[in-house]
Short mmCIF file of all heavy atoms in Angstrom, two decimals:
data_model
loop_
_atom_site.label_atom_id
_atom_site.label_comp_id
_atom_site.label_asym_id
_atom_site.label_seq_id
_atom_site.Cartn_x
_atom_site.Cartn_y
_atom_site.Cartn_z
N MET A 1 -74.54 -70.29 77.87
CA MET A 1 -75.04 -69.08 77.86
C MET A 1 -76.58 -69.06 77.60
O MET A 1 -76.97 -69.90 76.76
CB MET A 1 -74.46 -68.26 76.60
CG MET A 1 -74.92 -66.92 76.24
SD MET A 1 -74.17 -66.06 74.82
CE MET A 1 -72.43 -66.26 75.10
N ASP A 2 -77.25 -68.36 78.34
CA ASP A 2 -78.72 -68.42 78.30
C ASP A 2 -79.16 -67.47 77.10
O ASP A 2 -78.52 -66.76 76.54
CB ASP A 2 -79.36 -68.00 79.62
CG ASP A 2 -79.12 -66.54 80.03
OD1 ASP A 2 -78.88 -65.61 79.15
OD2 ASP A 2 -78.97 -66.29 81.37
N ALA A 3 -80.46 -67.60 76.93
CA ALA A 3 -81.11 -66.95 75.80
C ALA A 3 -81.06 -65.54 75.95
O ALA A 3 -80.89 -64.74 74.91
CB ALA A 3 -82.59 -67.52 75.60
N PHE A 4 -81.28 -64.92 77.08
CA PHE A 4 -81.13 -63.54 77.36
C PHE A 4 -79.78 -62.86 77.00
O PHE A 4 -79.66 -61.96 76.18
CB PHE A 4 -81.50 -63.15 78.75
CG PHE A 4 -81.33 -61.78 79.20
CD1 PHE A 4 -82.32 -60.86 78.77
CD2 PHE A 4 -80.23 -61.27 79.78
CE1 PHE A 4 -82.09 -59.52 79.19
CE2 PHE A 4 -80.01 -59.93 80.05
CZ PHE A 4 -81.00 -58.99 79.73
N THR A 5 -78.86 -63.52 77.38
CA THR A 5 -77.43 -63.12 77.17
C THR A 5 -77.16 -63.18 75.80
O THR A 5 -76.63 -62.27 75.09
CB THR A 5 -76.50 -64.00 78.06
OG1 THR A 5 -76.71 -63.89 79.57
CG2 THR A 5 -75.04 -63.53 77.79
N ALA A 6 -77.45 -64.40 75.12
CA ALA A 6 -77.23 -64.52 73.67
C ALA A 6 -77.96 -63.43 72.82
O ALA A 6 -77.32 -62.95 71.95
CB ALA A 6 -77.58 -66.01 73.27
N GLY A 7 -79.23 -63.21 73.33
CA GLY A 7 -79.93 -62.32 72.47
C GLY A 7 -79.40 -60.84 72.56
O GLY A 7 -79.28 -60.04 71.77
N LEU A 8 -79.03 -60.46 73.80
CA LEU A 8 -78.45 -59.18 74.16
C LEU A 8 -77.20 -59.00 73.41
O LEU A 8 -76.98 -57.87 72.85
CB LEU A 8 -78.23 -59.07 75.66
CG LEU A 8 -77.74 -57.64 76.11
CD1 LEU A 8 -78.55 -56.43 75.70
CD2 LEU A 8 -77.52 -57.68 77.66
N LEU A 9 -76.32 -59.91 73.41
CA LEU A 9 -74.95 -59.84 72.71
C LEU A 9 -75.22 -59.72 71.26
O LEU A 9 -74.49 -58.95 70.48
CB LEU A 9 -74.12 -61.00 73.04
CG LEU A 9 -73.61 -60.94 74.55
CD1 LEU A 9 -72.84 -62.32 74.76
CD2 LEU A 9 -72.86 -59.77 74.89
N GLN A 10 -76.24 -60.45 70.70
CA GLN A 10 -76.56 -60.27 69.32
C GLN A 10 -77.11 -58.94 68.92
O GLN A 10 -76.79 -58.30 67.99
CB GLN A 10 -77.58 -61.35 68.89
CG GLN A 10 -77.87 -61.32 67.34
CD GLN A 10 -76.63 -61.67 66.58
OE1 GLN A 10 -75.91 -62.66 66.65
NE2 GLN A 10 -76.33 -60.76 65.48
N ARG A 11 -77.90 -58.35 69.75
CA ARG A 11 -78.45 -57.08 69.51
C ARG A 11 -77.24 -56.04 69.62
O ARG A 11 -77.33 -55.04 68.74
CB ARG A 11 -79.52 -56.69 70.66
CG ARG A 11 -80.80 -57.37 70.40
CD ARG A 11 -81.77 -56.89 71.48
NE ARG A 11 -82.13 -55.55 71.48
CZ ARG A 11 -82.67 -54.96 72.35
NH1 ARG A 11 -83.04 -55.45 73.56
NH2 ARG A 11 -82.85 -53.68 72.43
N ILE A 12 -76.33 -56.24 70.47
CA ILE A 12 -75.21 -55.38 70.46
C ILE A 12 -74.31 -55.31 69.24
O ILE A 12 -74.09 -54.34 68.56
CB ILE A 12 -74.31 -55.63 71.65
CG1 ILE A 12 -75.04 -55.24 72.98
CG2 ILE A 12 -72.94 -54.92 71.53
CD1 ILE A 12 -74.27 -55.59 74.29
N ARG A 13 -74.24 -56.52 68.73
CA ARG A 13 -73.39 -56.73 67.41
C ARG A 13 -74.17 -56.08 66.30
O ARG A 13 -73.60 -55.37 65.39
CB ARG A 13 -73.23 -58.18 67.23
CG ARG A 13 -71.96 -58.84 67.90
CD ARG A 13 -71.75 -60.19 67.55
NE ARG A 13 -72.72 -61.07 67.79
CZ ARG A 13 -72.88 -61.84 68.89
NH1 ARG A 13 -72.07 -61.63 69.86
NH2 ARG A 13 -73.81 -62.76 69.04
N ASN A 14 -75.51 -56.26 66.28
CA ASN A 14 -76.24 -55.69 65.16
C ASN A 14 -76.32 -54.15 65.26
O ASN A 14 -76.12 -53.60 64.30
CB ASN A 14 -77.83 -56.29 65.30
CG ASN A 14 -77.90 -57.64 64.91
OD1 ASN A 14 -77.05 -58.38 64.36
ND2 ASN A 14 -78.95 -58.21 65.29
N THR A 15 -76.45 -53.70 66.45
CA THR A 15 -76.51 -52.24 66.45
C THR A 15 -75.07 -51.65 66.27
O THR A 15 -74.96 -50.53 65.59
CB THR A 15 -76.85 -51.82 68.00
OG1 THR A 15 -78.07 -52.44 68.30
CG2 THR A 15 -76.86 -50.30 68.29
N GLN A 16 -73.92 -52.31 66.54
CA GLN A 16 -72.62 -51.77 66.22
C GLN A 16 -72.45 -51.77 64.60
O GLN A 16 -71.96 -50.81 64.10
CB GLN A 16 -71.59 -52.72 66.76
CG GLN A 16 -71.31 -52.63 68.16
CD GLN A 16 -70.44 -53.54 68.85
OE1 GLN A 16 -70.28 -54.70 68.26
NE2 GLN A 16 -69.66 -53.21 69.77
N SER A 17 -72.95 -52.77 64.04
CA SER A 17 -72.91 -52.92 62.55
C SER A 17 -73.87 -51.73 61.90
O SER A 17 -73.36 -51.12 60.98
CB SER A 17 -73.49 -54.16 61.99
OG SER A 17 -73.57 -54.22 60.72
N ASP A 18 -75.01 -51.47 62.52
CA ASP A 18 -75.93 -50.46 62.06
C ASP A 18 -75.28 -49.08 62.14
O ASP A 18 -75.29 -48.23 61.36
CB ASP A 18 -77.16 -50.56 62.77
CG ASP A 18 -78.07 -51.77 62.26
OD1 ASP A 18 -77.72 -52.42 61.36
OD2 ASP A 18 -79.09 -51.98 62.94
N LEU A 19 -74.57 -48.95 63.39
CA LEU A 19 -73.90 -47.57 63.62
C LEU A 19 -72.75 -47.39 62.70
O LEU A 19 -72.64 -46.32 62.04
CB LEU A 19 -73.32 -47.68 65.08
CG LEU A 19 -72.57 -46.48 65.58
CD1 LEU A 19 -73.22 -45.24 65.38
CD2 LEU A 19 -72.05 -46.68 67.03
N ARG A 20 -72.07 -48.44 62.40
CA ARG A 20 -70.90 -48.37 61.40
C ARG A 20 -71.40 -47.93 60.01
O ARG A 20 -70.97 -47.01 59.36
CB ARG A 20 -70.13 -49.72 61.40
CG ARG A 20 -68.73 -49.64 60.97
CD ARG A 20 -67.95 -50.88 61.03
NE ARG A 20 -68.71 -52.23 61.36
CZ ARG A 20 -68.91 -52.73 62.62
NH1 ARG A 20 -68.48 -52.13 63.64
NH2 ARG A 20 -69.61 -53.91 62.63
N GLN A 21 -72.49 -48.56 59.71
CA GLN A 21 -73.13 -48.11 58.30
C GLN A 21 -73.70 -46.81 58.30
O GLN A 21 -73.43 -46.09 57.24
CB GLN A 21 -74.23 -49.21 58.03
CG GLN A 21 -73.74 -50.62 57.65
CD GLN A 21 -74.91 -51.63 57.56
OE1 GLN A 21 -76.06 -51.32 57.55
NE2 GLN A 21 -74.49 -52.90 57.34
N ALA A 22 -74.31 -46.48 59.46
CA ALA A 22 -74.81 -44.99 59.52
C ALA A 22 -73.64 -43.96 59.32
O ALA A 22 -73.79 -42.92 58.64
CB ALA A 22 -75.56 -44.86 60.62
N ARG A 23 -72.64 -44.24 60.00
CA ARG A 23 -71.47 -43.33 59.93
C ARG A 23 -70.80 -43.27 58.66
O ARG A 23 -70.41 -42.23 58.11
CB ARG A 23 -70.46 -43.71 61.04
CG ARG A 23 -70.83 -43.47 62.42
CD ARG A 23 -69.81 -43.89 63.44
NE ARG A 23 -70.16 -43.37 64.82
CZ ARG A 23 -69.66 -43.86 65.76
NH1 ARG A 23 -68.65 -44.82 65.87
NH2 ARG A 23 -70.03 -43.42 67.02
N GLU A 24 -70.66 -44.48 57.98
CA GLU A 24 -70.09 -44.59 56.63
C GLU A 24 -70.95 -44.00 55.58
O GLU A 24 -70.34 -43.36 54.65
CB GLU A 24 -69.85 -46.04 56.28
CG GLU A 24 -68.66 -46.66 57.05
CD GLU A 24 -68.74 -48.29 56.81
OE1 GLU A 24 -69.50 -48.82 55.97
OE2 GLU A 24 -67.79 -48.83 57.43
N SER A 25 -72.21 -43.93 55.76
CA SER A 25 -73.12 -43.22 54.78
C SER A 25 -73.28 -41.77 55.08
O SER A 25 -73.85 -41.08 54.31
CB SER A 25 -74.50 -44.00 54.82
OG SER A 25 -75.29 -43.61 56.01
N GLY A 26 -72.76 -41.24 56.24
CA GLY A 26 -72.85 -39.84 56.54
C GLY A 26 -74.21 -39.47 57.16
O GLY A 26 -74.52 -38.24 57.24
N ASP A 27 -74.91 -40.47 57.57
CA ASP A 27 -76.30 -40.21 58.19
C ASP A 27 -76.05 -39.81 59.72
O ASP A 27 -76.02 -40.91 60.54
CB ASP A 27 -77.13 -41.25 57.95
CG ASP A 27 -78.60 -41.10 58.48
OD1 ASP A 27 -78.88 -40.11 59.31
OD2 ASP A 27 -79.61 -41.81 57.84
N GLU A 28 -75.87 -38.66 60.00
CA GLU A 28 -75.50 -38.27 61.41
C GLU A 28 -76.70 -38.60 62.32
O GLU A 28 -76.52 -38.96 63.57
CB GLU A 28 -75.15 -36.83 61.43
CG GLU A 28 -73.89 -36.53 60.84
CD GLU A 28 -73.46 -35.09 60.86
OE1 GLU A 28 -73.71 -34.48 61.93
OE2 GLU A 28 -72.85 -34.58 60.02
N PHE A 29 -77.93 -38.31 61.90
CA PHE A 29 -79.15 -38.52 62.82
C PHE A 29 -79.13 -39.99 63.12
O PHE A 29 -79.34 -40.45 64.36
CB PHE A 29 -80.46 -38.11 62.13
CG PHE A 29 -81.51 -38.35 63.05
CD1 PHE A 29 -81.90 -37.62 64.14
CD2 PHE A 29 -82.45 -39.48 62.62
CE1 PHE A 29 -83.06 -37.90 64.92
CE2 PHE A 29 -83.48 -39.82 63.45
CZ PHE A 29 -83.85 -38.98 64.52
N LEU A 30 -79.10 -40.89 62.20
CA LEU A 30 -79.18 -42.35 62.50
C LEU A 30 -78.09 -42.84 63.25
O LEU A 30 -78.21 -43.61 64.10
CB LEU A 30 -79.27 -43.04 61.06
CG LEU A 30 -79.35 -44.65 61.15
CD1 LEU A 30 -80.61 -45.07 62.07
CD2 LEU A 30 -79.39 -45.27 59.78
N ALA A 31 -76.79 -42.16 63.06
CA ALA A 31 -75.76 -42.51 63.84
C ALA A 31 -75.91 -42.16 65.19
O ALA A 31 -75.61 -43.04 66.17
CB ALA A 31 -74.37 -41.90 63.29
N ASP A 32 -76.49 -41.09 65.59
CA ASP A 32 -76.90 -40.58 66.95
C ASP A 32 -77.86 -41.66 67.61
O ASP A 32 -77.76 -41.89 68.73
CB ASP A 32 -77.45 -39.14 66.98
CG ASP A 32 -76.34 -38.14 66.71
OD1 ASP A 32 -75.16 -38.49 66.72
OD2 ASP A 32 -76.77 -36.96 66.38
N VAL A 33 -78.83 -41.98 66.76
CA VAL A 33 -79.82 -42.97 67.29
C VAL A 33 -79.25 -44.30 67.51
O VAL A 33 -79.42 -44.91 68.65
CB VAL A 33 -81.00 -43.18 66.23
CG1 VAL A 33 -81.95 -44.30 66.56
CG2 VAL A 33 -81.79 -41.90 66.13
N GLU A 34 -78.37 -44.82 66.73
CA GLU A 34 -77.72 -46.12 66.87
C GLU A 34 -76.74 -46.08 68.18
O GLU A 34 -76.63 -46.96 68.89
CB GLU A 34 -76.92 -46.57 65.61
CG GLU A 34 -77.94 -46.86 64.48
CD GLU A 34 -78.93 -48.03 64.73
OE1 GLU A 34 -78.70 -48.77 65.69
OE2 GLU A 34 -79.85 -48.05 64.00
N GLN A 35 -76.11 -44.94 68.33
CA GLN A 35 -75.16 -44.80 69.42
C GLN A 35 -75.86 -44.78 70.64
O GLN A 35 -75.39 -45.33 71.61
CB GLN A 35 -74.34 -43.32 69.29
CG GLN A 35 -73.37 -43.13 70.34
CD GLN A 35 -72.19 -44.19 70.26
OE1 GLN A 35 -71.68 -44.42 69.39
NE2 GLN A 35 -71.88 -44.81 71.60
N ALA A 36 -77.11 -44.09 70.70
CA ALA A 36 -77.82 -44.17 71.96
C ALA A 36 -78.40 -45.54 72.27
O ALA A 36 -78.48 -46.00 73.42
CB ALA A 36 -79.08 -43.20 71.85
N GLU A 37 -78.82 -46.23 71.27
CA GLU A 37 -79.19 -47.62 71.37
C GLU A 37 -78.16 -48.51 71.86
O GLU A 37 -78.33 -49.30 72.84
CB GLU A 37 -79.69 -48.15 70.08
CG GLU A 37 -80.27 -49.66 70.13
CD GLU A 37 -81.43 -49.94 70.91
OE1 GLU A 37 -82.15 -48.94 71.30
OE2 GLU A 37 -81.73 -51.05 71.21
N LEU A 38 -76.89 -48.28 71.43
CA LEU A 38 -75.72 -49.04 71.87
C LEU A 38 -75.43 -48.85 73.28
O LEU A 38 -75.18 -49.69 74.10
CB LEU A 38 -74.51 -48.82 70.87
CG LEU A 38 -73.28 -49.69 71.13
CD1 LEU A 38 -73.62 -50.97 70.92
CD2 LEU A 38 -72.17 -49.21 70.23
N GLU A 39 -75.52 -47.58 73.74
CA GLU A 39 -75.24 -47.15 75.09
C GLU A 39 -76.28 -47.74 76.03
O GLU A 39 -76.00 -48.29 77.10
CB GLU A 39 -75.21 -45.68 75.33
CG GLU A 39 -74.11 -44.98 74.61
CD GLU A 39 -74.15 -43.54 74.50
OE1 GLU A 39 -75.10 -42.76 74.97
OE2 GLU A 39 -73.23 -42.91 73.98
N ASP A 40 -77.52 -47.84 75.60
CA ASP A 40 -78.66 -48.39 76.35
C ASP A 40 -78.45 -49.97 76.51
O ASP A 40 -78.56 -50.51 77.58
CB ASP A 40 -80.00 -48.21 75.69
CG ASP A 40 -80.48 -46.83 75.93
OD1 ASP A 40 -79.94 -46.04 76.73
OD2 ASP A 40 -81.45 -46.41 75.17
N LEU A 41 -78.05 -50.59 75.48
CA LEU A 41 -77.72 -52.01 75.43
C LEU A 41 -76.51 -52.33 76.36
O LEU A 41 -76.55 -53.37 77.20
CB LEU A 41 -77.45 -52.57 74.11
CG LEU A 41 -78.67 -52.55 73.23
CD1 LEU A 41 -78.25 -52.85 71.68
CD2 LEU A 41 -79.72 -53.54 73.67
N HIS A 42 -75.46 -51.48 76.39
CA HIS A 42 -74.43 -51.80 77.24
C HIS A 42 -74.79 -51.52 78.74
O HIS A 42 -74.28 -52.27 79.71
CB HIS A 42 -73.14 -50.72 76.99
CG HIS A 42 -72.33 -51.20 75.79
ND1 HIS A 42 -71.38 -52.07 75.97
CD2 HIS A 42 -72.44 -51.12 74.48
CE1 HIS A 42 -70.82 -52.41 74.85
NE2 HIS A 42 -71.45 -51.80 73.86
N ARG A 43 -75.66 -50.57 78.94
CA ARG A 43 -76.12 -50.25 80.31
C ARG A 43 -76.92 -51.53 80.83
O ARG A 43 -76.76 -52.10 81.97
CB ARG A 43 -76.99 -49.02 80.39
CG ARG A 43 -77.61 -48.74 81.71
CD ARG A 43 -78.72 -47.66 81.64
NE ARG A 43 -79.71 -47.82 80.66
CZ ARG A 43 -80.66 -48.70 80.70
NH1 ARG A 43 -80.88 -49.48 81.74
NH2 ARG A 43 -81.53 -48.82 79.66
N LEU A 44 -77.80 -52.05 79.89
CA LEU A 44 -78.57 -53.18 80.27
C LEU A 44 -77.78 -54.37 80.55
O LEU A 44 -77.85 -55.21 81.47
CB LEU A 44 -79.59 -53.43 79.06
CG LEU A 44 -80.56 -54.63 79.20
CD1 LEU A 44 -81.50 -54.34 80.44
CD2 LEU A 44 -81.31 -54.88 77.95
N ALA A 45 -76.70 -54.64 79.75
CA ALA A 45 -75.70 -55.59 79.98
C ALA A 45 -75.08 -55.56 81.32
O ALA A 45 -74.96 -56.49 82.08
CB ALA A 45 -74.73 -55.73 78.85
N ALA A 46 -74.69 -54.40 81.62
CA ALA A 46 -73.93 -54.10 83.02
C ALA A 46 -75.00 -54.39 84.11
O ALA A 46 -74.58 -54.98 85.21
CB ALA A 46 -73.48 -52.75 83.01
N GLU A 47 -76.17 -53.92 83.99
CA GLU A 47 -77.21 -54.18 84.97
C GLU A 47 -77.48 -55.63 85.27
O GLU A 47 -77.78 -55.97 86.31
CB GLU A 47 -78.49 -53.46 84.67
CG GLU A 47 -78.45 -51.93 84.81
CD GLU A 47 -79.69 -51.33 84.31
OE1 GLU A 47 -80.65 -52.09 83.97
OE2 GLU A 47 -79.73 -50.03 84.45
N HIS A 48 -77.21 -56.43 84.30
CA HIS A 48 -77.51 -57.94 84.38
C HIS A 48 -76.32 -58.71 84.41
O HIS A 48 -76.29 -60.00 84.37
CB HIS A 48 -78.44 -58.35 83.26
CG HIS A 48 -79.88 -57.84 83.35
ND1 HIS A 48 -80.78 -58.29 84.13
CD2 HIS A 48 -80.36 -56.69 82.80
CE1 HIS A 48 -81.98 -57.59 83.98
NE2 HIS A 48 -81.63 -56.66 83.19
N GLY A 49 -75.08 -58.05 84.65
CA GLY A 49 -73.90 -58.86 84.80
C GLY A 49 -73.47 -59.59 83.60
O GLY A 49 -72.73 -60.46 83.63
N VAL A 50 -73.92 -59.05 82.28
CA VAL A 50 -73.47 -59.71 81.18
C VAL A 50 -72.18 -59.09 80.65
O VAL A 50 -72.00 -57.89 80.59
CB VAL A 50 -74.52 -59.45 80.00
CG1 VAL A 50 -74.14 -60.05 78.75
CG2 VAL A 50 -75.81 -60.14 80.44
N GLN A 51 -71.18 -59.87 80.51
CA GLN A 51 -69.86 -59.51 80.07
C GLN A 51 -69.88 -59.29 78.52
O GLN A 51 -70.18 -60.08 77.78
CB GLN A 51 -68.79 -60.60 80.45
CG GLN A 51 -67.38 -60.17 80.21
CD GLN A 51 -66.85 -59.31 81.36
OE1 GLN A 51 -67.56 -58.60 81.88
NE2 GLN A 51 -65.60 -59.58 81.63
N VAL A 52 -69.54 -58.11 78.20
CA VAL A 52 -69.45 -57.70 76.82
C VAL A 52 -67.95 -57.70 76.35
O VAL A 52 -67.17 -56.96 76.89
CB VAL A 52 -70.09 -56.28 76.43
CG1 VAL A 52 -69.97 -55.89 75.01
CG2 VAL A 52 -71.43 -56.16 77.00
N THR A 53 -67.73 -58.61 75.55
CA THR A 53 -66.26 -58.81 75.03
C THR A 53 -65.86 -57.77 74.12
O THR A 53 -66.61 -57.07 73.42
CB THR A 53 -66.17 -60.28 74.48
OG1 THR A 53 -66.95 -60.26 73.26
CG2 THR A 53 -66.58 -61.29 75.36
N ALA A 54 -64.53 -57.83 73.67
CA ALA A 54 -64.08 -56.90 72.62
C ALA A 54 -64.74 -57.13 71.28
O ALA A 54 -64.92 -56.21 70.60
CB ALA A 54 -62.53 -57.10 72.47
N ALA A 55 -65.20 -58.35 70.99
CA ALA A 55 -65.92 -58.52 69.79
C ALA A 55 -67.18 -57.82 69.75
O ALA A 55 -67.85 -57.59 68.66
CB ALA A 55 -66.16 -60.08 69.65
N CYS A 56 -67.72 -57.64 70.89
CA CYS A 56 -69.11 -56.96 70.97
C CYS A 56 -68.92 -55.49 71.23
O CYS A 56 -69.80 -54.79 71.27
CB CYS A 56 -70.05 -57.53 72.02
SG CYS A 56 -70.73 -59.05 71.51
N GLY A 57 -67.69 -54.95 71.49
CA GLY A 57 -67.37 -53.63 71.68
C GLY A 57 -67.23 -53.22 73.07
O GLY A 57 -67.40 -52.20 73.62
#
């Protein structure tokens, strides 16, 4: 796995965690921001042929 792929997958995991925390705390605005970030990261992964596993969402 190259550095780009590893970094992207780590960013996805971090964003998923941040999204979960925002939802649990009831911060709807932050949850929306994190959800948009997660969607962007998934789009970026797809554009570069990076397989996002179930562990990454």
Side-chain angles (χ1 to χ4, degrees):
M1 179 180 311
D2 63 34
F4 174 79
T5 300
L8 181 57
L9 293 175
Q10 185 61 51
R11 286 180 61 196
I12 289 171
R13 284 189 293 273
N14 291 346
T15 302
Q16 288 174 326
S17 176
D18 292 345
L19 175 58
R20 207 169 14 259
Q21 290 175 3
R23 287 178 174 163
E24 288 172 0
S25 72
D27 189 335
E28 292 182 33
F29 176 76
L30 183 56
D32 287 345
V33 169
E34 296 297 346
Q35 182 64 48
E37 176 71 9
L38 188 57
E39 290 169 5
D40 287 343
L41 291 169
H42 278 273
R43 178 189 49 75
L44 185 61
E47 288 175 359
H48 290 276
V50 175
Q51 187 82 323
V52 179
T53 64
C56 285

